[in-house]
Amino acid sequence: MATQPTSNRGTWNSKLGFILAAAGSAVGLGNIWKFPFEVADGGGASFVFIYLICCFALCFPVLVTEIAIGRKTQKNAVGAFTALGYKNWRFIGLLGILSGVLILSFYNVVAGWAFGYFIELLQGHFDIGGRFGAFIADWSTITLYSLIFMFLTALIISSGVSSGIERASKILMPSLLFMILGLAAYSLTLDHAMKGVEFYLIPDFSEVSLETVYNALGQAFFSLSLGMGALITYGSYLSKKDNIITSAALITLTDVGIAIIAGLLMFPLVAYLNNGDFTNVQGGPGLIFTVLPGVFESLSSPLGIIIGAGFFLLLSFAALTSTVSLLEVPVSYVIDEFHMGRKKAVIIMSTIIYLIGIPSLLSNGSSEYFSSFVTYIGSASPVSFMDVVEHLSSDTFLPFGGMMIVIFAAYIWKKENLSQELAIGNPKFIGSLNEKFIHFGIQYLSPIILGIIFLLTVANRFFGYNPFE
Ligand code: TRP
């Protein structure tokens, strides 16, 4: 097979560029918005410990496999299966494209909230925390912010792989790292900061249950952008000389590191506001939007604006490198398979996805119909349209897609072929312990655990069966 990429597809300029782009895909709202509270609710450091095992033992083989399939074929998530000679497996890629489209449709709305908060705090509107419910229910404001966000995403992608995605990641990722470290260092100096760190990290093994493990795995999988071919796509722009295993390790470490630091930034702020007393703190991801503005207000004026706007800019940057990767998956598919120009593909896909996201945008109070969209079997209260899309795509399709990708690699394409690809840029790979670990992961560990997760999610989400009761 020709190793030369088709000239109009684009390639990364450097290994670092690829790592930053893939880490940018991984680091997103999941890390900063959701992870800290999963930790606090799931038993602190004991959750972090389980999370690390999930990332490195269960997700890492999937991550490596996706990148390898992409680099081997130099094709998009669907075309990759055809290029390997397994046309019947294209459905996994198609399901991945569908997942990406659905995830981006609501993810972009939440990214719009974050971006809107940045603009509000820049103007010193600290009362926005108390108006969160009204803010997200105000469809015209959210339409504006989410349109801007989709536009920025489309703009980056339309400039291509190296001069668009790679260049943006090279600016956004270091800025993100700089901001998160600066903000965390600052918040650790506030009064009662250590109380916050204690609340965040003190291990509590009595909180660890099967459900914790389930949550940790779901979070790890989403956070590493697995299961829909995002990394097949990014891997397809990778040069034939780079070491995939070390790249994947760096991507995982960055993702986990930033998630953990996000908590070290957040909880000292909450502790500061509540004088170190966490008894009345309402958990959950909404806390970022409802409580943090009050913290920023209590810092003196210019500082509050700098720290507050800085925090939401950080959140927006994290979200932007993720929306870029979500949009690139369908765009790359359309470019390869329908021979469409990049700009046209970007305009068409971003418009379609934005339109699909409108009911989600209206799901948070502006439309009664979409806000209480359906009531699942066995459940008492209705869920919104946005929730349904999330449950279907990120909770259901992703673990299924991930399971099918590793099954494909292990049993259809064959693990020896995977090894051969992984040995490029890593000559000692064949016969190494690493190889045995990856093989064990894709043959047994990951498909079995991901299969269980998929079945439990379907039973739980859509049929009201609660395995954790
Ligand atoms: N990983 C991102 C986050 O943590 C979200 C994301 C971007 C994603 N691209 C993806 C999730 C592809 C699944 C698949 O916010």
Side-chain angles (χ1 to χ4, degrees):
M1 208 188 97
T3 51
Q4 205 53 20
T6 352
S7 56
N8 62 354
R9 287 193 89 249
T11 46
W12 307 112
N13 267 333
S14 64
K15 179 178 172 188
L16 180 70
F18 163 69
I19 292 173
L20 288 177
S25 164
V27 174
L29 295 170
N31 300 58
I32 299 171
W33 185 42
K34 263 176 94 191
F35 180 81
F37 291 95
E38 300 248 357
V39 176
D41 294 343
S46 27
F47 181 92
V48 176
F49 181 68
I50 296 169
Y51 183 75
L52 286 172
I53 297 180
C54 291
C55 284
F56 283 98
L58 287 161
C59 296
F60 190 74
V62 187
L63 179 64
V64 165
T65 304
E66 280 204 31
I67 300 176
I69 292 179
R71 189 179 64 177
K72 168 81 191 168
T73 59
Q74 315 260 306
K75 281 280 181 294
N76 66 88
V78 177
F81 292 95
T82 323
L84 290 174
Y86 302 96
K87 231 174 165 227
N88 290 341
W89 286 75
R90 287 165 57 99
F91 77 93
I92 303 178
L94 286 167
L95 186 71
I97 308 265
L98 178 67
S99 314
V101 165
L102 293 178
I103 293 174
L104 182 55
S105 77
F106 71 84
Y107 196 95
N108 183 63
V109 173
V110 181
W113 301 350
F115 183 65
Y117 261 58
F118 164 64
I119 303 286
E120 294 285 338
L121 286 181
L122 213 51
Q123 302 169 67
H125 297 163
F126 295 113
D127 61 328
I128 186 79
R131 293 189 281 115
F132 175 59
F135 178 77
I136 62 173
D138 175 0
W139 67 267
S140 55
T141 310
I142 304 302
T143 299
L144 174 72
Y145 289 130
S146 59
L147 260 181
I148 296 178
F149 213 88
M150 184 63 93
F151 178 76
L152 291 174
T153 307
L155 196 68
I156 292 174
I157 300 213
S158 63
S159 303
V161 175
S162 60
S163 41
I165 306 177
E166 181 169 359
R167 206 166 57 165
S169 307
K170 278 186 169 161
I171 300 169
L172 293 172
M173 290 306 284
S175 323
L176 182 146
L177 196 64
F178 177 77
M179 280 195 278
I180 199 168
L181 288 176
L183 289 171
Y186 172 76
S187 81
L188 284 168
T189 64
L190 293 171
D191 289 345
H192 310 293
M194 282 308 133
K195 284 272 188 323
V197 177
E198 274 170 30
F199 176 76
Y200 176 43
L201 287 181
I202 290 273
D204 179 357
F205 283 96
S206 69
E207 292 255 354
V208 174
S209 60
L210 200 59
E211 189 173 4
T212 321
V213 178
Y214 174 82
N215 288 340
L217 184 58
Q219 171 70 18
F221 208 71
F222 182 81
S223 186
L224 286 168
S225 303
L226 299 176
M228 52 160 271
L231 286 141
I232 296 183
T233 309
Y234 273 18
S236 76
Y237 308 129
L238 191 59
S239 106
K240 284 280 180 191
K241 56 184 193 311
D242 291 331
N243 182 332
I244 293 182
I245 302 276
T246 53
S247 307
L250 282 170
I251 295 163
T252 310
L253 282 174
T254 312
D255 187 51
V256 172
I258 295 210
I260 293 176
I261 299 171
L264 291 176
L265 155 59
M266 192 117 28
F267 288 103
L269 289 173
V270 179
Y272 171 75
L273 186 73
N274 295 287
N275 295 319
D277 178 11
F278 275 85
T279 37
N280 289 322
V281 174
Q282 291 282 322
L287 200 121
I288 276 201
F289 290 107
T290 53
V291 176
L292 288 190
V295 182
F296 302 134
E297 182 167 26
S298 66
L299 309 170
S300 60
S301 170
L303 193 66
I305 292 187
I306 295 170
I307 304 280
F311 178 82
F312 285 102
L313 185 64
L314 160 76
L315 195 59
S316 304
F317 277 15
L320 188 56
T321 45
S322 296
T323 52
V324 161
S325 80
L326 286 162
L327 184 57
E328 179 62 16
V329 175
V331 163
S332 162
Y333 165 65
V334 176
I335 293 177
D336 283 351
E337 307 293 310
F338 299 95
H339 308 291
M340 199 183 272
R342 178 167 278 273
K343 290 220 163 52
K344 190 168 165 201
V346 170
I347 294 173
I348 293 178
M349 286 322 298
S350 58
T351 308
I352 293 177
I353 295 170
Y354 192 82
L355 294 176
I356 295 178
I358 289 178
S360 290
L361 193 159
L362 300 175
S363 271
N364 303 287
S366 6
S367 148
E368 181 68 28
Y369 176 71
F370 289 120
S371 304
S372 316
F373 190 61
V374 283
T375 305
Y376 293 145
I377 303 168
S379 156
S381 45
V383 290
S384 71
F385 184 89
M386 189 169 182
D387 289 333
V388 176
V389 179
E390 180 182 354
H391 295 159
L392 255 186
S393 56
S394 75
D395 299 355
T396 314
F397 292 168
L398 291 185
F400 178 75
M403 173 182 79
M404 295 309 279
I405 289 172
V406 285
I407 290 179
F408 170 81
Y411 302 106
I412 309 293
W413 183 36
K414 298 277 186 294
K415 57 186 199 298
E416 293 75 20
N417 289 318
L418 173 69
S419 283
Q420 254 179 32
E421 185 62 30
L422 292 174
I424 302 175
N426 186 0
K428 293 204 199 85
F429 181 72
I430 307 246
S432 69
L433 208 60
N434 243 327
E435 183 191 31
K436 294 195 177 66
F437 164 70
I438 303 272
H439 282 179
F440 179 72
I442 63 168
Q443 284 178 285
Y444 310 108
L445 202 57
S446 305
I448 292 172
I449 307 271
L450 289 169
I452 294 174
I453 293 278
F454 167 70
L455 292 175
L456 284 183
T457 306
V458 173
N460 174 258
R461 291 280 192 235
F462 306 109
F463 297 98
Y465 166 71
N466 191 344
F468 304 118
E469 256 167 10

